[in-house]
């Protein structure tokens, strides 16, 4: 028996998230289909996290356990030949049997893309939030720094979550602009349900004057979801990097 680590990229537009569901097409299902075609058996695919419908991934890590001796390079090529064009396997490697893509994870980086211009860019449809209002990236970058540190993020957690311990550590948070594209980047040891999307919604409320620029620490302390901003749409969100032992967790080029 061996365990194989697959690193994949995908556009989430056509999928109802990562995890297999009875009445919806998911990324995990498509990957299982391709693996079955190559290896001749229906294998469990264990992922590093769940992603919601419409969310994308620049790096998503998952594993399979198999007795097949297929070469990693050949497995990668075979899977990419079978997978839809919006899912790609960019790395295949053998890992120890005790490795777990979720529980061995030391941190993740998410990015959220905002297209900030009066006219929509059709090439970013479903891949960035169109935000036509004026957006002060410098102001929001300063405000985002208040997310850094270890906090109780109850105010930034979706209602569907049943997690009791909402303490998470954020290592880095920033807002940058490149022309009309504004990117929120956040790296942490873990994230709650809808946490990044609520962070973005809160920053947009700050931009709109609905929340004070220095209010984030008070919102964190209050632990009240209603004091934070709206939940930003899923289609601007990307799981960008997954960190394991030996990886340096910090700022990434995005």
């Amino acid at each position: 028996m061996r365990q194989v680590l697959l690193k994949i990229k995908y556009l989430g537009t056509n999928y109802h998230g990562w995890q297999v569901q009875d009445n919806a097409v998911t990324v995990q299902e498509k990957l299982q289909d391709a693996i079955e075609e190559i290896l001749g058996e229906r294998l469990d695919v264990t992922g590093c996290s769940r992603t919601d419908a419409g969310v994308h991934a620049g790096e998503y890590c998952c594993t399979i356990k198999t007795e097949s001796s297929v070469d990693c390079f050949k497995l990668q090529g075979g899977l990419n030949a079978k997978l839809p064009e919006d899912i790609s396997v960019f790395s295949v490697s053998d890992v120890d049997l005790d490795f777990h893509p979720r529980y061995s994870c030391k941190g993740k980086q998410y990015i959220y893309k905002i297209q900030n211009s009066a006219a929509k860019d059709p090439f970013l449809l479903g891949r960035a939030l169109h935000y036509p209002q004026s957006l002060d990236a410098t102001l929001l970058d300063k405000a985002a720094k208040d997310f850094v540190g270890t906090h109780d993020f109850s105010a930034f957690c979706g209602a569907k979550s049943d997690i009791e311990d909402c303490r998470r550590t954020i290592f880095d948070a920033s807002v940058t602009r490149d022309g009309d594209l504004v990117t929120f980047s956040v790296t942490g040891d873990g994230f709650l349900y809808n946490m990044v999307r609520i962070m973005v919604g809160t920053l947009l409320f700050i931009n709109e004057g609905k929340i004070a620029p220095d209010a984030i620490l008070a919102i964190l302390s209050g632990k009240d979801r209603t004091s934070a901003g709206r939940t930003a749409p899923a289609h601007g969100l990307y799981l960008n990097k997954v960190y394991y032992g030996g990886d340096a967790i910090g700022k990434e080029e995005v």
Side-chain angles (χ1 to χ4, degrees), residues 7-19 26-27 48-61 85-88 90 108-115 122-130 181 183-184 194 196-197 232-242:
K7 294 185 178 182
I8 69 174
K9 301 174 184 284
Y10 59 83
L11 282 174
T13 307
N14 295 324
Y15 303 102
H16 204 77
W18 160 259
Q19 190 166 342
T26 67
V27 177
C48 62
S49 67
R50 296 183 180 184
T51 58
D52 288 339
V55 175
H56 316 292
E59 179 178 272
Y60 187 96
C61 298
E85 291 185 346
D86 50 10
I87 304 174
S88 175
F90 68 90
K108 297 185 180 78
Q109 182 198 46
Y110 283 90
I111 61 174
Y112 194 97
K113 297 183 180 183
I114 301 171
Q115 185 229 328
F123 294 102
L124 292 175
L125 180 65
R127 302 181 188 190
L129 171 65
H130 178 233
L181 187 65
T183 302
F184 171 60
N194 280 349
V196 179
R197 292 166 60 189
H235 63 265
L237 182 62
Y238 296 71
L239 173 57
N240 196 55
K241 175 70 178 175
V242 185

Side-chain angles (χ1 to χ4, degrees), residues 139-149 151-153 155-156 170 173 175 184 198-207 211-224 227-229:
L139 172 70
L140 299 192
D141 180 59
K142 182 179 179 181
K145 304 306 180 192
D146 286 338
F147 288 125
V148 176
H151 307 284
D152 185 319
F153 281 90
F156 294 86
I170 299 300
V175 177
F184 171 60
I198 298 170
M199 286 175 156
V200 173
T202 300
L203 290 173
L204 292 179
F205 267 24
I206 289 173
N207 185 72
I211 292 176
D214 61 353
I216 286 176
L217 289 176
I219 294 171
L220 288 165
S221 297
K223 305 177 186 179
D224 180 4
S227 65

Side-chain angles (χ1 to χ4, degrees), residues 34-188:
I35 291 168
E36 186 173 12
E37 285 197 61
I38 301 298
L39 300 183
E41 55 181 337
R42 190 77 174 178
L43 297 177
D44 290 331
V45 181
T46 304
C48 62
S49 67
R50 296 183 180 184
T51 58
D52 288 339
V55 175
H56 316 292
E59 179 178 272
Y60 187 96
C61 298
C62 54
T63 58
I64 56 172
K65 290 182 179 179
T66 179
E67 294 181 354
S68 170
S69 60
V70 64
D71 176 78
C72 288
F73 180 77
K74 290 181 178 179
L75 179 58
Q76 179 183 357
L79 289 175
N80 282 329
K82 301 294 184 181
L83 285 165
E85 291 185 346
D86 50 10
I87 304 174
S88 175
V89 180
F90 68 90
S91 174
V92 178
S93 60
D94 285 291
V95 291
D96 292 340
L97 286 172
D98 61 357
F99 175 87
H100 193 285
R102 179 181 176 187
Y103 299 119
S104 299
C105 177
K106 302 301 182 184
K108 297 185 180 78
Q109 182 198 46
Y110 283 90
I111 61 174
Y112 194 97
K113 297 183 180 183
I114 301 171
Q115 185 229 328
N116 181 219
S117 63
K120 293 180 180 179
D121 183 344
F123 294 102
L124 292 175
L125 180 65
R127 302 181 188 190
L129 171 65
H130 178 233
Y131 188 81
Q133 298 170 241
S134 176
L135 191 153
D136 188 338
T138 302
L139 172 70
L140 299 192
D141 180 59
K142 182 179 179 181
K145 304 306 180 192
D146 286 338
F147 288 125
V148 176
T150 301
H151 307 284
D152 185 319
F153 281 90
S154 297
F156 294 86
C157 183
K160 293 182 180 179
S161 176
D162 57 0
I163 294 176
E164 294 183 5
D165 184 5
C166 293
R167 289 180 65 82
R168 297 292 185 273
T169 298
I170 299 300
F171 305 117
D172 182 71
S174 65
V175 177
T176 56
R177 177 185 287 278
D178 182 7
D180 291 337
L181 187 65
V182 175
T183 302
F184 171 60
S185 172
V186 59
T187 304

